[in-house]
Every structure is written in C-alpha cells, then in structure tokens.
Amino acid sequence: MKSIRKADLQNCEEMIRHGSSSFYYAFSWLPSPQKEAVHVIYAFCRMIDDSVDEPEQSLYSIHELQALFNKLESAEGHFIWPSLRWLFSEFPGLSKEPFRRQMDGQTYDLTFTRYSTMRELEHYCYLVAGTVGEMLLPVLKGEHSEEIRHSGIALGKGMQIVNIMRDIGEDSRRGRRYIPLELLQRHHYTEEELEAGVIDDRFRALMDELRFLAEQWFATGLGDLAAYPQTSAFTVELAATFYAGIMDVIVENKYDVFTQRAYVTDEQKRDMLIGIAMRHGFTTEMLKRSVVS
C-alpha cells in the first residue's frame, strides 16, 4: 500500500469542495477510504477538464497530463501524483484505462467543437463522463458485473447531458456546440439562432428532448442501486438527484441558459437529502451530521 501525506488528500478535498458543492455534499457520507478516493478522482478529472477549458490558468496541458499519468510511478511536482498512486494502491480493482479514455475525450474539445449526430454526442458523453462512472464503481461497489458497469456509465452520461444543457451559452461563447445539428434540424432551429440565444417553442422542445434523454440515462444508472452497499447507494442517488435537479431549475428559469446559470440551492439540496435519506433507512440523528446545513 502506498503511503500518502494527509495534506495531499486534503488538497484533493479542497478541489471538490470548491469545484462542486453537489458532489462534495453527496459523497461526504462515504466512510474512509472511499470518501478520499472520490476526492482524488474528482480532483484529477477537474485538472483534466481545466487543462482544456482554462489552459492559461492550468499548471499542465492535457498532453502533459497524459504523459505524466503514463509514467505515474515517477510523476512529481503536484499533489495529484502521490494521491493517484495512493488511489490505485488502495483500490487494486481500479483500472487506469477509464482515466486514459477520459483524457482522450477531453482532447476532442481542442479540435472537434461542433457535433452533427446524437450518436457522436453519446460517444463524447461516454468518454468525458461515462468513464467517471467506471472510475467510481471499484470504489463504491468493489467487484461488479457488466450490467452494473453499464448503469454506472449511463449515470455519467446523464450528468453530462445536464452539463451540456446548463452550459449552452458559455460553450457557445467558447465556439463550441455540443447540441448536434441533427437535433437542431429536427426542431427547425438554426445554428445562428442558437448563437443568438433565441428562446422559443422550438428551443424549448429540443431542450425537452435532451432532458428526456438525460432522464432515461439517470433511470438506467439508478436501476441497480440495490446491488450497492447502503451508504454507496445513498450517495449515488443523492449525487444524481442533485444533478437532475438542475434541469428543473432550467425550466424555472424559462429555459434561459444563455444569460443565467442554473444551480440547485442549498435549501433544495436539503429537501432532496432528507427524502432520499429516509428512503434509504438513515435516521434523524445521522441526518444531523450532514454537511448540508
């Protein structure tokens, strides 16, 4: 087992705390070392994403991350490298391949910025988010079947569709269009209208189609929760519910994803937390320990 400095894991925790309050809240219920493992996975995925979206502010380019990951045993210069060595030592069933596919997927954003078909979009969602489900399964579930692997991937893909819906305006300003041309044409909505931020019945209809797709993937992703340990099942459902709630906020915002960023409030998270916790058999006393206050 690899030794790890407490400060390295704390740095990973800070990244998830500041980068995603929803994930931090949800996975805070996990016992050690699963909780710390989720922090490390999030931190590295965050670094991969930032290396493409904010390269000027990132310590490493995506290609440097790929190279250092491929020589992980000797990689130095950042807390992520000893943290990853600890992760793979602590969870020997965890493969490096989903991490490599995640990085490959993020390189798409460097050159492939406009999607034509729903099939292309689904493949991208698998690479950048379905792979996260593959990373988390050995941590949350341990040994798992191909069926459960499929559900973990589906959950990640559903979350990525939510990301795409939420970030349409921001992505457009970066010159990216993840909504496939196939979907635009089906609703008689043009690329020019998307860039101009036109919100009408056609736009709402295509957003509803994306929501339906995300909900299907969420349903598949949550379909095997009974096979998880109780606490893992609770945290997975909580994270998915927090994320799916963003789509409700988009509707509340009258589908304005061009000038408003949809987010679930702490009060809304608290209500979701209580309902899911009760369903999973958690007591009132356990609820008091929640990080959602």
Side-chain angles (χ1 to χ4, degrees):
M1 182 182 298
K2 297 287 185 183
S3 61
I4 182 71
R5 294 192 315 157
K6 186 177 180 180
D8 291 333
L9 294 180
Q10 286 176 334
N11 283 328
C12 291
E13 180 179 1
E14 282 303 302
M15 286 188 71
I16 188 172
R17 187 201 300 268
H18 292 294
S20 177
S21 61
S22 293
F23 285 153
Y24 183 70
Y25 290 161
F27 291 111
S28 68
W29 286 77
L30 288 170
S32 297
Q34 285 90 347
K35 177 168 59 178
E36 290 79 8
V38 171
H39 295 165
V40 174
I41 290 170
Y42 176 89
F44 189 54
C45 291
R46 179 79 269 161
M47 289 177 67
I48 295 169
D49 192 59
D50 288 346
S51 72
V52 174
D53 286 348
E54 301 178 5
E56 67 285 348
Q57 299 178 32
S58 299
L59 178 62
Y60 301 109
S61 70
I62 183 63
H63 302 299
E64 289 170 333
L65 286 174
Q66 288 173 311
L68 285 163
F69 185 80
N70 284 334
K71 57 176 186 179
L72 180 58
E73 288 306 312
S74 61
E76 300 293 346
H78 193 278
F79 61 80
I80 198 61
W81 308 122
S83 298
L84 285 168
R85 288 193 287 270
W86 168 84
L87 174 70
F88 289 111
S89 173
E90 192 73 28
F91 296 90
L94 180 59
S95 169
K96 292 181 181 178
E97 290 311 306
F99 294 81
R100 293 191 173 102
R101 288 193 288 271
Q102 159 87 200
M103 288 184 279
D104 288 343
Q106 293 290 356
T107 62
Y108 275 38
D109 285 339
L110 299 176
T111 56
F112 194 72
T113 57
R114 294 180 180 274
Y115 287 74
S116 296
T117 67
M118 295 298 288
R119 186 172 182 176
E120 288 175 350
L121 178 63
E122 180 174 356
H123 181 60
Y124 172 77
C125 288
Y126 163 68
L127 288 176
V128 300
T131 54
V132 179
E134 292 179 300
M135 296 172 197
L136 290 174
L137 273 175
V139 172
L140 301 175
K141 173 70 173 63
E143 293 186 9
H144 54 274
S145 66
E146 183 63 23
E147 182 180 0
I148 291 178
R149 173 180 170 272
H150 177 71
S151 66
I153 289 171
L155 199 58
K157 291 193 298 186
M159 290 184 179
Q160 186 61 27
I161 291 294
V162 175
N163 283 340
I164 288 168
M165 293 173 66
R166 180 194 62 195
D167 297 339
I168 286 175
E170 179 181 334
D171 288 331
S172 181
R173 290 187 286 274
R174 286 176 169 164
R176 300 177 188 168
R177 175 179 53 74
Y178 294 102
I179 298 181
L181 188 60
E182 171 188 336
L183 183 60
L184 295 176
Q185 291 174 340
R186 183 152 60 240
H187 293 279
H188 307 289
Y189 188 90
T190 68
E191 292 182 82
E192 292 74 21
E193 288 171 321
L194 186 69
E195 292 175 1
V198 174
I199 301 172
D200 57 14
D201 287 344
R202 295 167 302 154
F203 179 73
R204 287 186 283 271
L206 72 85
M207 288 287 279
D208 287 343
E209 184 171 340
L210 284 173
R211 178 173 184 164
F212 179 71
L213 176 61
E215 288 174 342
Q216 286 183 307
W217 281 338
F218 278 125
T220 298
L222 297 175
D224 292 312
L225 283 188
Y228 286 72
Q230 182 191 30
T231 303
S232 292
F234 168 63
T235 60
V236 169
E237 184 174 352
L238 191 59
T241 303
F242 283 172
Y243 234 77
I246 293 172
M247 296 188 290
D248 292 329
V249 178
I250 288 173
V251 175
E252 292 169 8
N253 291 344
K254 299 180 179 179
Y255 294 80
D256 183 3
V257 289
F258 300 100
T259 65
Q260 297 187 65
R261 183 176 177 85
Y263 66 94
V264 178
T265 66
D266 285 347
E267 183 178 359
Q268 290 169 322
K269 290 175 186 174
R270 188 182 305 114
D271 291 341
M272 294 173 186
L273 170 68
I274 293 171
I276 295 170
M278 295 299 186
R279 189 160 62 252
H280 283 268
F282 284 79
T283 66
T284 304
E285 186 61 32
M286 294 175 72
L287 283 175
K288 291 178 181 178
R289 295 191 293 103
S290 169
V291 294
V292 182
S293 59

